[in-house]
Amino acid sequence: MALTVVDHPLAGTMLTALRDAATPPPLFRLLAKRLSLTLAIEATRTVPLRPREVTTPLAEAAGTAFAAPLVAVPILRAGLGMLEAVTELFPEVAVGYLGLERDHATFQPSAYYTKLPPLRDSYVLLLDPMLATGGSAAAACRSLFAEHPARVTLLSVVAAPEGIERLQLEHPALDIVTAAVDEGLNPDAYIVPGLGDFGDRLFGT
């Protein structure tokens, strides 16, 4: 497993604003999108390339293009806050959806919706802004790796050590890109200091 913590001043300032309880939902959504752009750029560093020739207004030019298909898979509902950034960066990306809901008593996820495009040999960007216990991400990875993608990278805004450790044990082929690794989980399995419930803050619920 490769763990990448994006160390960039812009990512740091956006994350600070996302953590701020006074940030209203409209600004929270904008910041989440912009920070997701940063994470997506970092997450696609390892996608293989192929040569591509293009014609400029003046001459032929040698360039590159991705040599593998990209697939974005947000975990509903919070992952939707990261999806627009990926589709704007990569208009050709295919999109799948995984609906997972965490039981607040047991902290275990249950699936209520799954819709995936073909994943074989693709590079999958799994979008889950809060990596807490790792239960939802681990369940999502089981569904994704069963379809034989070339690679799966989890994009999270913040991650807890407990979730990282679980994914490292259960899905060592997974890569993780995050803006921060926080202190840990509280008794209710929320990330501390974290930024609260990402979905509630995103949608103003």
Side-chain angles (χ1 to χ4, degrees):
M1 172 184 283
L3 171 64
T4 302
V5 180
V6 176
D7 183 17
H8 191 285
L10 182 58
T13 58
M14 289 187 291
L15 177 58
T16 300
L18 285 170
R19 291 190 192 275
D20 189 347
T23 299
L27 180 56
F28 189 93
R29 286 192 290 270
L30 177 62
L31 291 167
K33 176 182 174 181
R34 290 180 175 173
L35 182 52
S36 298
L37 286 167
T38 306
L39 297 176
I41 290 171
E42 184 63 38
T44 50
R45 281 185 183 272
T46 58
V47 178
L49 300 175
R50 59 175 174 82
R52 183 190 173 200
E53 297 287 332
V54 296
T55 303
T56 79
L58 298 176
E60 299 296 314
T64 58
F66 285 144
L70 289 179
V71 179
V73 181
I75 295 179
L76 303 177
R77 64 180 172 149
L80 291 174
M82 307 177 75
L83 179 60
E84 187 178 0
V86 177
T87 57
E88 282 191 6
L89 272 177
F90 312 109
E92 73 284 3
V93 70
V95 179
Y97 297 92
L98 288 173
L100 297 169
E101 190 170 41
R102 186 175 74 166
D103 186 295
H104 290 286
T106 65
F107 309 135
Q108 297 303 308
S110 59
Y112 62 87
Y113 184 76
T114 301
K115 185 69 172 180
L116 297 173
L119 299 183
R120 182 175 290 274
D121 300 325
S122 65
Y123 273 60
V124 179
L125 304 179
L126 177 60
L127 311 178
D128 187 11
M130 307 295 286
L131 175 55
T133 65
S136 294
C141 285
R142 284 193 291 273
S143 297
L144 297 178
F145 280 116
E147 301 299 321
H148 307 289
R151 194 164 194 158
V152 179
T153 302
L154 171 65
L155 281 64
S156 289
V157 174
V158 295
E162 294 91 333
I164 294 171
E165 182 178 1
R166 176 172 180 172
L167 292 178
Q168 190 171 25
L169 290 172
E170 295 185 20
H171 300 287
L174 177 72
D175 294 328
I176 299 174
V177 175
T178 185
V181 177
D182 278 7
E183 296 170 11
L185 302 177
N186 69 10
D188 295 318
Y190 280 96
I191 301 173
V192 178
L195 45 80
D197 188 299
F198 193 95
D200 285 349
R201 297 194 63 193
L202 186 70
F203 297 110
T205 55

